[in-house]
Amino acid sequence: MQPHIRLSKSMTRAKYALLPGDPERVDRIARFLDKPEILGQNREFRAARGEYKGVEILVLSTGIGGPSTAIAIEELRQIGVDTLIRIGSCGALQDTLALGEVIIAHGAVADDGTSKTYAPVSYPACADPQLTAMLMQLALQMNIPARCGLVRSHDSFYTDREAELDAQWSARGILGADMETAALMVVGALRGLRTASLLNVVVAHNGCLDSSINHYVQQETRCQQGEVHQISLALQAIYFDSQQGEQ
Protein backbone atom coordinates (compact mmCIF):
# COMPACT_ATOMS: atom_id res chain seq x y z
CA MET A 1 0.00 0.00 0.00
CA GLN A 2 1.52 3.29 -1.10
CA PRO A 3 1.53 5.83 1.75
CA HIS A 4 0.06 8.86 0.00
CA ILE A 5 -2.09 7.67 -2.89
CA ARG A 6 -3.31 4.69 -0.81
CA LEU A 7 -3.20 2.25 -3.72
CA SER A 8 -1.52 -1.12 -4.09
CA LYS A 9 -0.83 -3.65 -6.81
CA SER A 10 -3.68 -5.78 -5.50
CA MET A 11 -6.16 -2.97 -6.22
CA THR A 12 -5.31 -2.44 -9.91
CA ARG A 13 -3.21 -3.93 -12.68
CA ALA A 14 -3.42 -0.84 -14.84
CA LYS A 15 -0.38 0.21 -16.84
CA TYR A 16 -2.06 3.45 -17.91
CA ALA A 17 -3.03 6.38 -15.68
CA LEU A 18 -4.84 9.64 -16.32
CA LEU A 19 -3.76 12.43 -13.99
CA PRO A 20 -6.19 15.32 -13.46
CA GLY A 21 -5.27 17.94 -10.90
CA ASP A 22 -8.74 18.46 -9.44
CA PRO A 23 -10.13 15.52 -7.41
CA GLU A 24 -13.63 16.29 -8.72
CA ARG A 25 -12.39 15.71 -12.26
CA VAL A 26 -11.74 12.07 -11.33
CA ASP A 27 -15.47 11.46 -11.08
CA ARG A 28 -16.10 13.17 -14.41
CA ILE A 29 -13.45 11.06 -16.13
CA ALA A 30 -14.88 7.90 -14.55
CA ARG A 31 -18.13 8.49 -16.46
CA PHE A 32 -16.25 7.80 -19.68
CA LEU A 33 -15.16 4.36 -18.44
CA ASP A 34 -16.82 0.97 -18.34
CA LYS A 35 -17.06 -0.70 -14.94
CA PRO A 36 -16.01 2.49 -13.09
CA GLU A 37 -15.02 2.10 -9.47
CA ILE A 38 -13.95 4.81 -7.02
CA LEU A 39 -10.99 3.46 -5.05
CA GLY A 40 -10.90 6.15 -2.38
CA GLN A 41 -9.27 9.44 -1.51
CA ASN A 42 -6.41 10.54 0.73
CA ARG A 43 -5.56 14.24 0.88
CA GLU A 44 -5.57 15.53 -2.74
CA PHE A 45 -5.23 12.04 -4.21
CA ARG A 46 -8.62 10.73 -5.35
CA ALA A 47 -8.46 7.47 -7.28
CA ALA A 48 -10.73 5.51 -9.59
CA ARG A 49 -10.34 2.66 -12.01
CA GLY A 50 -12.29 1.44 -15.00
CA GLU A 51 -11.97 0.14 -18.54
CA TYR A 52 -11.99 1.75 -21.96
CA LYS A 53 -12.53 -0.67 -24.84
CA GLY A 54 -11.20 -3.43 -22.61
CA VAL A 55 -8.09 -1.58 -21.43
CA GLU A 56 -7.80 -1.05 -17.68
CA ILE A 57 -7.15 2.58 -16.76
CA LEU A 58 -6.37 4.19 -13.42
CA VAL A 59 -7.41 7.78 -12.72
CA LEU A 60 -5.65 9.69 -9.95
CA SER A 61 -5.86 13.38 -9.05
CA THR A 62 -2.56 15.07 -8.23
CA GLY A 63 -3.71 18.25 -6.53
CA ILE A 64 -2.05 21.59 -7.27
CA GLY A 65 1.61 21.90 -8.14
CA GLY A 66 4.74 19.86 -8.69
CA PRO A 67 5.36 18.34 -5.23
CA SER A 68 2.11 16.38 -5.02
CA THR A 69 2.38 15.49 -8.73
CA ALA A 70 5.83 14.00 -8.14
CA ILE A 71 4.54 11.98 -5.19
CA ALA A 72 1.74 10.58 -7.33
CA ILE A 73 4.13 9.62 -10.13
CA GLU A 74 6.61 7.94 -7.81
CA GLU A 75 3.94 5.88 -6.07
CA LEU A 76 2.11 4.97 -9.28
CA ARG A 77 5.38 3.61 -10.61
CA GLN A 78 5.65 1.41 -7.54
CA ILE A 79 2.33 -0.28 -8.35
CA GLY A 80 3.15 -0.92 -12.01
CA VAL A 81 1.91 2.13 -13.97
CA ASP A 82 4.27 3.04 -16.82
CA THR A 83 2.28 5.49 -18.99
CA LEU A 84 0.81 8.71 -17.60
CA ILE A 85 -1.25 11.39 -19.33
CA ARG A 86 -2.06 14.62 -17.55
CA ILE A 87 -5.65 15.87 -17.93
CA GLY A 88 -5.08 19.43 -16.79
CA SER A 89 -6.04 23.04 -17.26
CA CYS A 90 -3.96 26.09 -18.12
CA GLY A 91 -3.93 29.76 -18.85
CA ALA A 92 -3.22 30.79 -22.42
CA LEU A 93 -0.12 32.84 -23.20
CA GLN A 94 -1.07 33.48 -26.82
CA ASP A 95 -4.00 35.50 -28.17
CA THR A 96 -4.69 32.84 -30.80
CA LEU A 97 -5.72 30.25 -28.20
CA ALA A 98 -9.43 30.08 -27.42
CA LEU A 99 -11.16 28.91 -24.26
CA GLY A 100 -11.69 25.16 -24.48
CA GLU A 101 -8.86 24.59 -26.93
CA VAL A 102 -6.53 21.71 -26.02
CA ILE A 103 -2.77 22.17 -25.79
CA ILE A 104 -0.73 19.03 -26.43
CA ALA A 105 2.49 19.88 -24.62
CA HIS A 106 5.60 18.34 -26.16
CA GLY A 107 7.80 20.08 -23.61
CA ALA A 108 7.73 22.50 -20.70
CA VAL A 109 9.75 25.32 -19.23
CA ALA A 110 10.66 23.96 -15.80
CA ASP A 111 10.04 27.13 -13.80
CA ASP A 112 8.96 25.10 -10.78
CA GLY A 113 10.80 23.99 -7.67
CA THR A 114 10.08 20.27 -7.98
CA SER A 115 11.81 19.85 -11.34
CA LYS A 116 14.87 21.72 -10.06
CA THR A 117 14.97 19.50 -6.99
CA TYR A 118 15.09 16.34 -9.13
CA ALA A 119 17.52 17.53 -11.80
CA PRO A 120 19.65 20.51 -12.89
CA VAL A 121 17.77 23.37 -14.50
CA SER A 122 19.32 22.41 -17.85
CA TYR A 123 17.61 18.98 -17.78
CA PRO A 124 14.90 18.97 -20.47
CA ALA A 125 11.24 18.53 -19.56
CA CYS A 126 9.92 16.58 -22.55
CA ALA A 127 6.93 14.37 -23.26
CA ASP A 128 7.23 10.91 -24.78
CA PRO A 129 7.56 11.62 -28.54
CA GLN A 130 5.57 8.62 -29.79
CA LEU A 131 2.71 9.24 -27.37
CA THR A 132 2.66 12.93 -28.30
CA ALA A 133 2.65 12.16 -32.03
CA MET A 134 -0.26 9.77 -31.52
CA LEU A 135 -2.24 12.42 -29.62
CA MET A 136 -1.63 14.95 -32.40
CA GLN A 137 -2.75 12.50 -35.08
CA LEU A 138 -5.86 11.50 -33.18
CA ALA A 139 -6.80 15.11 -32.48
CA LEU A 140 -6.89 15.70 -36.24
CA GLN A 141 -8.92 12.54 -36.86
CA MET A 142 -11.37 13.37 -34.07
CA ASN A 143 -11.71 17.01 -35.17
CA ILE A 144 -10.61 18.26 -31.75
CA PRO A 145 -9.29 21.85 -31.66
CA ALA A 146 -5.74 21.32 -30.45
CA ARG A 147 -2.32 22.94 -30.63
CA CYS A 148 1.01 21.23 -29.99
CA GLY A 149 3.80 23.25 -28.43
CA LEU A 150 5.65 24.32 -25.32
CA VAL A 151 4.15 25.33 -21.98
CA ARG A 152 5.55 26.84 -18.79
CA SER A 153 5.13 25.26 -15.35
CA HIS A 154 5.39 27.54 -12.33
CA ASP A 155 4.67 27.58 -8.60
CA SER A 156 2.34 30.51 -7.92
CA PHE A 157 -0.57 32.49 -9.35
CA TYR A 158 -0.20 35.54 -7.17
CA THR A 159 3.36 36.91 -7.22
CA ASP A 160 3.84 40.60 -7.94
CA ARG A 161 5.48 39.76 -11.29
CA GLU A 162 2.86 37.49 -12.86
CA ALA A 163 1.90 39.86 -15.67
CA GLU A 164 5.56 40.58 -16.43
CA LEU A 165 6.48 36.89 -16.48
CA ASP A 166 3.52 35.98 -18.67
CA ALA A 167 4.51 38.68 -21.16
CA GLN A 168 8.11 37.45 -21.27
CA TRP A 169 7.18 33.83 -21.92
CA SER A 170 4.45 34.77 -24.36
CA ALA A 171 7.05 36.68 -26.40
CA ARG A 172 9.13 33.49 -26.48
CA GLY A 173 6.30 31.54 -28.08
CA ILE A 174 5.16 29.58 -25.03
CA LEU A 175 1.53 28.52 -25.50
CA GLY A 176 0.23 28.26 -21.96
CA ALA A 177 1.03 28.05 -18.26
CA ASP A 178 0.21 25.41 -15.66
CA MET A 179 1.78 24.11 -12.45
CA GLU A 180 2.36 20.38 -13.05
CA THR A 181 3.50 19.50 -16.57
CA ALA A 182 7.23 20.05 -16.07
CA ALA A 183 7.32 17.93 -12.92
CA LEU A 184 5.41 15.17 -14.69
CA MET A 185 7.86 15.14 -17.59
CA VAL A 186 11.05 15.44 -15.55
CA VAL A 187 10.18 12.86 -12.91
CA GLY A 188 8.67 10.58 -15.54
CA ALA A 189 11.82 10.67 -17.68
CA LEU A 190 14.09 10.05 -14.72
CA ARG A 191 12.01 7.03 -13.72
CA GLY A 192 11.73 5.56 -17.23
CA LEU A 193 8.03 6.33 -17.60
CA ARG A 194 6.17 7.57 -20.67
CA THR A 195 4.35 10.86 -20.14
CA ALA A 196 2.13 13.28 -22.03
CA SER A 197 0.22 16.38 -21.03
CA LEU A 198 -3.13 17.63 -22.34
CA LEU A 199 -4.12 21.08 -21.10
CA ASN A 200 -7.57 22.61 -21.46
CA VAL A 201 -7.39 26.40 -21.90
CA VAL A 202 -9.58 27.87 -19.13
CA VAL A 203 -8.06 31.37 -18.93
CA ALA A 204 -7.70 33.48 -22.06
CA HIS A 205 -4.51 35.42 -22.69
CA ASN A 206 -4.76 38.79 -20.90
CA GLY A 207 -8.02 37.58 -19.38
CA CYS A 208 -9.04 38.03 -15.75
CA LEU A 209 -7.70 35.13 -13.70
CA ASP A 210 -10.36 35.22 -10.98
CA SER A 211 -13.37 35.51 -13.30
CA SER A 212 -12.02 32.89 -15.72
CA ILE A 213 -11.47 30.35 -12.95
CA ASN A 214 -14.95 31.06 -11.58
CA HIS A 215 -16.45 30.46 -15.03
CA TYR A 216 -14.61 27.16 -15.20
CA VAL A 217 -15.90 26.03 -11.81
CA GLN A 218 -19.40 26.81 -13.07
CA GLN A 219 -18.73 24.59 -16.13
CA GLU A 220 -18.68 27.42 -18.67
CA THR A 221 -19.63 25.80 -21.95
CA ARG A 222 -16.43 26.05 -23.95
CA CYS A 223 -14.18 24.98 -21.07
CA GLN A 224 -16.47 22.04 -20.34
CA GLN A 225 -16.27 20.97 -23.97
CA GLY A 226 -12.50 21.27 -23.83
CA GLU A 227 -12.43 18.90 -20.87
CA VAL A 228 -14.58 16.39 -22.76
CA HIS A 229 -12.22 16.65 -25.74
CA GLN A 230 -9.05 16.09 -23.73
CA ILE A 231 -10.51 13.09 -21.90
CA SER A 232 -11.79 11.52 -25.13
CA LEU A 233 -8.45 12.16 -26.84
CA ALA A 234 -6.44 10.61 -24.01
CA LEU A 235 -8.64 7.52 -23.80
CA GLN A 236 -8.49 6.93 -27.54
CA ALA A 237 -4.69 7.31 -27.49
CA ILE A 238 -4.43 4.78 -24.68
CA TYR A 239 -6.55 2.31 -26.63
CA PHE A 240 -4.47 2.62 -29.80
CA ASP A 241 -1.24 2.45 -27.81
CA SER A 242 -2.39 -0.74 -26.11
CA GLN A 243 -3.23 -2.26 -29.46
CA GLN A 244 0.24 -1.51 -30.79
CA GLY A 245 1.73 -3.16 -27.74
CA GLU A 246 -0.15 -6.37 -28.50
CA GLN A 247 1.09 -6.59 -32.07
Side-chain angles (χ1 to χ4, degrees):
M1 177 68 69
Q2 296 300 304
H4 297 92
I5 65 174
R6 306 306 295 166
L7 298 173
S8 65
K9 289 183 178 180
S10 64
M11 298 170 70
T12 175
R13 291 182 290 180
K15 298 294 183 182
Y16 296 95
L18 298 182
L19 304 181
D22 184 356
E24 290 187 5
R25 202 174 301 145
V26 172
D27 298 78
R28 298 199 292 272
I29 294 173
R31 298 185 194 123
F32 288 76
L33 304 177
D34 297 324
K35 305 176 184 177
E37 177 186 0
I38 299 298
L39 299 176
Q41 181 167 352
N42 182 52
R43 296 177 181 259
E44 61 267 62
F45 305 111
R46 183 167 177 81
R49 64 160 303 281
E51 295 182 1
Y52 182 76
K53 297 184 178 181
V55 181
E56 184 172 355
I57 296 173
L58 186 64
V59 186
L60 179 71
S61 58
T62 62
I64 296 177
S68 57
T69 299
I71 288 171
I73 296 165
E74 296 278 19
E75 296 190 3
L76 286 171
R77 173 175 170 264
Q78 294 297 323
I79 64 171
V81 172
D82 61 25
T83 302
L84 308 100
I85 301 178
R86 170 162 157 71
I87 305 292
S89 58
C90 72
L93 293 181
Q94 302 297 327
D95 292 336
T96 54
L97 284 164
L99 290 178
E101 196 163 356
V102 176
I103 296 176
I104 303 171
H106 67 72
V109 178
D111 231 358
D112 63 305
T114 300
S115 297
K116 296 182 181 69
T117 300
Y118 270 86
V121 68
S122 56
Y123 189 87
C126 300
D128 179 81
Q130 293 180 330
L131 198 55
T132 302
M134 182 180 296
L135 288 164
M136 292 170 57
Q137 181 180 5
L138 287 170
L140 287 172
Q141 293 177 3
M142 299 168 69
N143 198 29
I144 290 175
R147 293 269 296 278
C148 185
L150 297 170
V151 299
R152 170 183 175 248
S153 294
H154 56 95
D155 279 345
S156 177
F157 279 127
Y158 299 115
T159 68
D160 295 334
R161 298 180 60 224
E162 287 306 305
E164 176 188 349
L165 289 169
D166 284 350
Q168 290 175 357
W169 290 110
S170 176
R172 295 169 179 143
I174 302 301
L175 295 183
D178 80 339
M179 303 180 77
E180 296 83 17
T181 292
L184 168 68
M185 292 177 177
V186 169
V187 178
L190 291 171
R191 298 296 181 250
L193 306 172
R194 298 189 304 157
T195 65
S197 181
L198 300 176
L199 303 179
N200 179 23
V201 175
V202 299
V203 181
H205 187 221
N206 294 322
C208 174
L209 176 67
D210 290 340
S211 63
S212 295
I213 290 176
N214 287 336
H215 287 162
Y216 182 57
V217 171
Q218 297 163 13
Q219 294 297 305
E220 193 272 347
T221 303
R222 285 180 293 173
C223 295
Q224 184 181 28
Q225 188 60 52
E227 182 177 283
V228 170
H229 281 157
Q230 65 182 160
I231 295 169
S232 302
L233 180 57
L235 290 174
Q236 194 72 346
I238 286 173
Y239 171 70
F240 276 101
D241 185 76
S242 70
Q243 295 302 108
Q244 290 183 358
E246 293 177 0
Q247 292 177 0

